[in-house]
């Protein structure tokens, strides 16, 4: 009897082994580089009838209500049904895992940076959005700022990309006679030291929740980034362990050791950081737009306009570092169903077309189109963030080919278990590992 | 002989096929694939999957993170095995008699076992925050504010999460020890009493040795189960502070999330091998203790 069972089991195993080694997303002959039958970029009119079509949008816990107004308008206009599915946090990991196993939505919120588009294997999995009808109506340089990988547009930017910079408490500043915001790194630190000598906590960092630690290093790299730092890192010519990046890490640690940060830096959370800035317990925090979202959850526009300001910072001036995130953009997937793919493009065209005014009003957010006004109720700090985009430079996430866990290694350093040298080395090792997995030369 | 034939006719071997198909598809096959994918460069970045031999193993050993995660996982597993059995045994001895209060208490201590591990983890995360309930209670006791970062210490947090894990599962150990205690014959205990043995002597020389099968089961399941631990630690610390509680499974989860599927698979293979390598000697040693019975 034993014999009976071992033979079929072995046959099944060997058969599946032989068939097994292929990526489920590679089906349908969609080789990267080759132009597949689906995903060609013709753009249906925004009001084309879609009765009977159901589209799925994947969204994260902090972006799942964003499509509400657009979905309602689109369903009414076209008869399509749009379903917004929330993928639990950590969102990016969840989406990558699902896509790896062949599960794809029609549209998804996604960080429109090169490294994250690569992580989704954009040439194979995503519809190219070249020739999209909305591209020409973006204000300023927004059209070419992000969402593009190897000269192909894959992501549609819907909201103002996040910028790393300094959020500060205006009341604390004026209490200590500081009337002008710092104009470069040195005056920034001078301001902090003045506040410290007056008994304030100049900076607040959330070492417990970890992910914001990297902003401190990245804003120091703004000048180098403008000078092609990440291009050199991408080819292996320059490393995280070289003086530029390592120096920024060392400076960060030096400031912590100097006592310019909150005492509970090791355990403080994102929420603590927002509370501290709003109450004036701390004067400044280097953060991104989602931090302001947290402040908005705690206070109304009037209070925020009164208390919270924003200025970008870089070594020699006030240059911001932009870092588009998942809530800023959408990507459209190649699902293999040409009609649904076209419908997905149609929804994007409507979102950034006739539906955009409703979207902006519903979300109370900054308009990316000159012909659609930004609502008056948008807080001043957010307008300042948006204004800084014009001359901002790309962050590591925006310009490097891979996105190593720099924040995690920095958090280790804050806990006191690693040195800046080790942080740089660990980041470089992981960067090289990710670059090698992508098949990039030089790694 | 005729009985045997009739028996076979009523239970033909083909009836086993569904069970083996399920076993093959959901248990055997994934394990085989685990081996295969660890030899490839499968990632989210490209569609082709190529064999790369032992490259993944070499990288992992070279980086050192694997070894540190493995060490943390082993320490965690040993701590959990120790605490969970200690608590379980104490509870079983305490609640051994079948009184109404004891029955109620057993149910209460068993509730964490059926609770969602993530829920338990998040509850403890809230309790153990610097401004959480644990410090508030301590503060009330000592009379001044206490702000111990229970989950923020790079040395002791691992012990704290092992205690949380043990808390969640001690009800199960208690139940098994209780069942073991029930099987001990009254006659033996009565004989011991007549010989004038104290309660401690009775426990040390008679009851504990007779609990050997329960101990085998409890230690093996606690040790090997916590080697595969993920949920409680993820919910309480997420691997922090400074990755001092980063169990191998959390490391695997993180690597997989970066799109490095082959590397993650390699790590899970390493975990599988370590668990197997640990399981056999541990279970054999514990079974040896039972031979005296």
């Amino acid at each position: 009897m034993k014999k009976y069972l071992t033979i079929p089991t072995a046959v099944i195993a060997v058969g599946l082994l032989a068939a097994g080694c292929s990526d489920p997303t590679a089906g349908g002959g969609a080789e990267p580089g080759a132009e597949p039958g689906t995903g060609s970029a013709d753009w249906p009119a925004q009001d084309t009838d879609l009765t009977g079509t159901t589209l799925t949008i994947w969204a994260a816990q902090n972006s799942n209500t964003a499509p509400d107004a657009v979905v309602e308008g689109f369903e009414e206009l076209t008869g399509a049904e749009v379903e917004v599915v929330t993928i639990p946090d950590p969102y990016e990991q969840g989406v990558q895992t699902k896509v790896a196993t062949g599960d794809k939505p029609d549209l998804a919120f996604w960080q429109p940076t090169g490294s994250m588009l690569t992580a989704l294997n954009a040439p194979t999995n995503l519809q190219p959005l070249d020739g999209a009808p909305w591209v020409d109506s973006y204000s300023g340089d927004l059209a070419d700022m992000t969402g593009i990988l190897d000269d192909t547009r894959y992501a549609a930017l819907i909201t103002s990309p996040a910028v790393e910079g300094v959020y500060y408490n205006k009341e604390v500043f004026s209490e200590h006679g500081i009337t002008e915001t710092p104009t470069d790194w040195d005056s920034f630190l001078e301001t902090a030291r003045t506040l410290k000598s007056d008994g304030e906590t100049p900076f607040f960092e959330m070492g417990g929740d970890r992910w914001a630690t990297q902003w401190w290093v990245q804003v120091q790299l703004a000048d180098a980034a403008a000078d092609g730092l990440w291009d050199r890192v991408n080819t292996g010519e320059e490393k995280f362990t070289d003086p530029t990046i390592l120096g920024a890490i060392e400076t960060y640690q030096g400031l912590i050791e100097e006592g310019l940060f909150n005492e509970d830096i090791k355990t403080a959370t994102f929420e603590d950081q927002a509370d501290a800035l709003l109450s004036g317990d701390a004067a400044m925090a280097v953060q991104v737009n989602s931090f302001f979202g947290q402040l908005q959850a705690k206070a109304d526009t009037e209070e925020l306009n009164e208390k919270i300001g924003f200025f970008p910072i870089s070594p020699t001036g006030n240059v911001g570092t932009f870092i588009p995130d998942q809530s800023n953009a959408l990507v459209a997937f190649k699902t293999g169903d040409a009609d649904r793919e076209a419908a997905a493009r149609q929804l994007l065209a409507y979102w950034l077309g006739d539906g955009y005014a409703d979207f902006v009003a519903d979300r109370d957010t900054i308009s990316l189109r000159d012909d659609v006004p930004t609502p008056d109720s948008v807080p001043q700090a957010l307008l300042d963030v948006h204004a800084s985009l014009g001359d901002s430079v790309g962050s590591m996430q925006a310009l490097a080919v891979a996105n190593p866990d720099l924040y995690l290694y920095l958090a280790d350093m804050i806990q006191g278990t690693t040195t800046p040298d080790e942080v740089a080395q660990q980041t470089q090792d992981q960067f090289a590992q990710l670059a090698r997995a992508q098949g990039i030369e030089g790694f | 002989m005729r009985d045997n034939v009739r028996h076979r006719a009523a239970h033909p071997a083909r009836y086993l096929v569904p069970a083996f198909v399920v076993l093959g598809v959901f248990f055997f096959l994934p394990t085989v694939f685990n081996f295969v994918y660890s030899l490839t460069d499968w990632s989210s970045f490209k569609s082709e999957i190529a064999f790369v031999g032992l490259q993944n193993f070499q990288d992992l050993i070279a980086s050192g993170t694997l070894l540190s995660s493995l060490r943390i996982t082993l320490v965690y597993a040993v701590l959990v095995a120790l605490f969970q059995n200690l608590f379980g045994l104490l509870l079983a001895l305490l609640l051994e008699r079948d009184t109404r209060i004891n029955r109620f208490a057993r149910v209460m201590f068993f509730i964490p076992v059926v609770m969602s591990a993530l829920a338990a983890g998040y509850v403890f995360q809230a309790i153990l925050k610097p401004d959480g309930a644990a410090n508030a209670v301590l503060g009330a006791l000592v009379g001044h504010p206490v702000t111990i970062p229970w989950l923020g210490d790079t040395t002791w947090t691992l012990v704290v999460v092992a205690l949380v894990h043990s808390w969640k599962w001690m009800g199960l150990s208690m139940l098994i020890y209780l069942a073991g205690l029930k099987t001990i014959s009254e006659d033996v205990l009565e004989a011991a009493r007549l010989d004038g043995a104290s309660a401690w002597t009775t426990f040390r020389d008679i009851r504990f040795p007779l609990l050997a099968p329960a101990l085998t089961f409890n230690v093996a399941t606690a040790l090997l189960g916590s080697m595969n631990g993920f949920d409680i630690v993820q919910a309480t610390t997420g691997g922090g502070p400074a990755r001092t509680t980063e169990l191998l499974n959390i490391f695997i989860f993180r690597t997989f999330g970066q799109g490095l599927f082959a590397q993650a698979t390699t790590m899970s293979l390493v975990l599988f091998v370590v668990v197997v390598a640990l399981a056999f000697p541990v279970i054999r040693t514990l079974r040896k203790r039972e031979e005296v019975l």
Side-chain angles (χ1 to χ4, degrees):
Chain A
M1 190 182 103
K2 260 187 184 160
K3 231 179 188 173
Y4 280 125
L5 293 167
T6 41
I7 292 170
T9 321
V11 169
I12 291 171
V14 170
L16 281 159
L17 267 181
C21 277
S22 67
D23 187 328
T25 58
E31 292 299 317
E35 189 59 48
T38 57
S40 68
D42 58 289
W43 294 89
Q46 291 176 36
D47 57 356
T48 308
D49 183 57
L50 291 174
T51 311
T53 307
T54 304
L55 292 174
T56 308
I57 303 176
W58 283 355
Q61 276 153 344
N62 71 353
S63 55
N64 60 4
T65 55
D68 286 353
V70 173
V71 165
E72 201 180 312
F74 190 69
E75 286 181 335
E76 202 174 304
L77 185 69
T78 64
E81 227 175 278
V82 183
E83 212 180 314
V84 179
V85 179
T86 306
I87 307 293
D89 285 335
Y91 177 74
E92 282 78 8
Q93 295 192 5
V95 170
Q96 270 177 273
T97 309
K98 277 173 173 288
V99 170
T101 52
D103 188 5
K104 284 188 254 183
D106 296 294
L107 294 157
F109 281 88
W110 196 251
Q111 186 177 322
T113 58
S115 60
M116 290 309 282
L117 289 171
T118 308
L120 267 190
N121 194 0
T124 304
N125 291 323
L126 299 182
Q127 295 192 49
L129 303 178
D130 291 322
W134 65 81
V135 171
D136 292 337
S137 48
Y138 277 131
S139 338
D141 299 327
L142 285 171
D144 297 322
M145 182 171 230
T146 189
I148 295 169
L149 179 68
D150 296 335
D151 296 326
T152 305
R153 182 183 304 278
Y154 289 108
L157 193 65
I158 55 164
T159 51
S160 179
V163 178
E164 298 161 14
V166 185
Y167 289 87
Y168 68 99
N169 187 305
K170 293 179 183 172
E171 291 172 347
V172 176
F173 268 37
S174 64
E175 231 171 83
H176 296 277
I178 302 163
T179 47
E180 297 287 317
T181 54
T183 51
D184 59 17
W185 189 257
D186 289 338
S187 60
F188 173 52
L189 295 188
E190 202 179 302
T191 308
R193 286 172 185 137
T194 309
L195 288 166
K196 167 136 173 100
S197 65
D198 287 358
E200 298 284 346
T201 302
F203 302 132
F204 197 101
E205 185 61 281
M206 40 173 264
D209 274 351
R210 307 186 292 200
W211 53 264
T213 53
Q214 56 178 321
W215 311 146
W216 269 92
V217 172
Q218 294 212 29
V219 295
Q220 291 182 64
L221 297 174
D223 294 354
D227 187 37
L229 168 72
W230 297 112
D231 290 337
R232 296 192 294 277
V233 170
N234 287 341
T235 52
E237 194 185 321
E238 188 163 348
K239 294 186 162 57
F240 285 82
T241 48
D242 287 335
T244 309
I245 304 178
L246 176 60
I249 299 171
E250 283 169 341
T251 304
Y252 180 35
Q253 197 192 28
L255 297 176
I256 297 172
E257 283 170 353
E258 195 184 325
L260 295 175
F261 284 85
N262 47 312
E263 269 176 28
D264 59 350
I265 183 169
K266 290 185 184 180
T267 53
T269 62
F270 180 53
E271 237 174 278
D272 297 339
Q273 194 181 31
D275 291 345
L277 196 72
L278 208 51
S279 65
D281 286 345
M284 294 179 269
V286 175
Q287 260 292 9
V288 291
N289 295 37
S290 58
F291 176 68
F292 198 77
Q294 176 70 16
L295 293 175
Q296 281 178 300
K298 304 254 174 187
D300 56 21
T301 299
E302 200 185 336
E303 189 185 345
L304 290 174
N305 280 340
E306 205 172 292
K307 283 188 178 168
I308 306 294
F310 171 86
F311 60 89
I313 197 77
S314 57
T316 56
N318 290 114
V319 175
T321 301
F322 74 85
I323 173 164
D325 65 31
Q326 155 271 124
S327 66
N328 292 139
L330 283 126
V331 291
F333 281 83
K334 283 180 190 164
T335 54
D337 177 336
D339 292 340
R340 281 213 343 258
E341 287 180 7
R345 292 197 299 276
Q346 186 181 332
L347 174 52
L348 285 181
Y350 173 78
W351 196 318
L352 285 148
D354 296 345
Y356 197 61
D358 285 345
F359 170 69
V360 169
D362 177 59
R363 298 304 294 168
D364 212 358
T365 187
I366 292 164
S367 165
L368 303 184
R369 293 177 53 145
D370 287 331
D371 55 345
V372 175
T374 296
D376 294 335
S377 45
V378 173
Q380 186 57 40
L382 272 189
L383 295 172
D384 293 343
V385 173
H386 185 70
S388 76
L389 266 175
D391 64 350
S392 63
V393 294
S395 59
M396 173 177 79
Q397 282 79 357
L399 299 180
V401 288
N403 180 11
D405 293 328
L406 173 61
Y407 74 95
L408 203 59
Y409 306 126
L410 287 169
D412 290 358
M413 179 183 82
I414 292 175
Q415 298 292 344
T417 58
T418 52
T419 63
D421 288 291
E422 287 167 321
V423 171
Q425 189 61 53
Q426 288 168 339
T427 314
Q428 179 63 35
D429 288 348
Q430 197 195 5
F431 182 82
Q433 189 185 34
L434 289 162
R436 197 163 52 236
Q438 293 173 32
I440 290 167
E441 271 176 55
F443 290 95
Chain B
M1 186 66 207
R2 272 193 56 201
D3 264 6
N4 198 9
V5 170
R6 200 186 301 152
H7 183 79
R8 285 209 153 200
H11 304 279
R14 64 173 185 275
Y15 280 18
L16 283 173
V17 169
F20 271 86
V21 167
V22 169
L23 196 71
V25 170
F26 292 106
F27 293 93
F28 182 65
L29 204 63
T31 311
V32 173
F33 273 113
N34 202 345
F35 276 92
V36 175
Y37 277 126
S38 66
L39 302 172
T40 69
D41 65 351
W42 180 33
S43 78
S44 73
F45 305 112
K46 52 184 192 287
S47 311
E48 315 86 56
I49 297 177
F51 276 90
V52 294
L54 296 173
Q55 167 97 45
N56 292 329
F57 292 91
Q58 284 164 1
D59 286 355
L60 274 176
I61 291 164
S63 87
T65 322
L66 176 76
L67 287 178
S68 93
S69 274
L70 207 55
R71 191 178 50 81
I72 291 166
T73 311
L74 277 171
V75 172
Y76 181 72
V78 170
L79 286 174
V80 168
L82 207 69
F83 293 143
Q84 191 183 317
N85 281 285
L86 189 68
F87 299 158
L89 187 58
L90 287 176
L91 283 176
L93 292 170
L94 201 67
L95 306 175
E96 190 185 352
R97 286 179 41 210
D98 282 322
T99 64
R100 189 169 292 180
I101 294 174
N102 281 359
R103 285 208 192 97
F104 175 75
R106 285 179 207 159
V107 173
M108 287 298 112
F109 283 112
F110 195 73
I111 283 177
V113 176
V114 290
M115 245 166 90
S116 146
L118 284 174
Y122 284 121
V123 167
F124 270 97
Q125 189 212 36
I127 293 175
L128 296 172
K129 281 198 299 199
D131 56 351
N135 282 338
V137 170
L138 280 179
L141 286 178
V142 299
H144 60 82
V146 176
T147 53
I148 304 170
W150 296 99
L151 299 174
D153 190 287
T154 49
T155 311
W156 296 104
T157 298
L158 188 64
V159 180
V160 175
V161 285
L163 281 168
V164 174
H165 191 127
S166 312
W167 170 85
K168 184 178 183 318
W169 291 103
M170 68 185 180
L172 187 68
S173 299
M174 170 194 77
L175 212 64
I176 291 157
Y177 281 126
L178 273 174
L181 288 171
K182 294 260 180 233
T183 62
I184 298 173
S185 156
E186 253 324 296
D187 303 346
V188 181
L189 297 176
E190 199 181 342
R193 262 199 304 279
L194 288 175
D195 286 345
S198 67
W200 168 243
T201 318
T202 316
F203 175 73
R204 193 191 56 197
D205 292 335
I206 299 173
R207 299 215 290 171
F208 187 67
L210 287 173
L211 277 177
L215 187 82
T216 303
F217 181 84
N218 273 337
V219 169
T221 49
L223 191 72
L224 304 175
S226 54
M227 288 287 292
N228 287 311
F230 174 76
D231 35 23
I232 290 174
V233 184
Q234 178 71 17
T236 45
T237 66
R243 288 181 287 148
T244 49
T245 59
E246 190 172 85
L247 302 184
L248 202 54
N249 267 339
I250 294 180
F251 186 36
I252 292 170
F253 174 69
R254 198 156 61 78
T255 309
F256 197 89
Q258 280 163 345
L260 297 170
F261 304 147
Q263 281 85 343
T265 311
T266 311
M267 291 176 209
S268 70
L269 180 66
V270 170
L271 181 63
F272 173 77
V273 170
V274 170
V275 170
V276 169
L278 202 67
F280 285 110
V282 164
I283 293 174
R284 195 170 46 220
T285 314
L286 290 168
R287 296 291 290 199
K288 267 237 143 50
R289 291 184 63 244
E290 294 174 28
E291 279 170 14
V292 293
L293 298 184

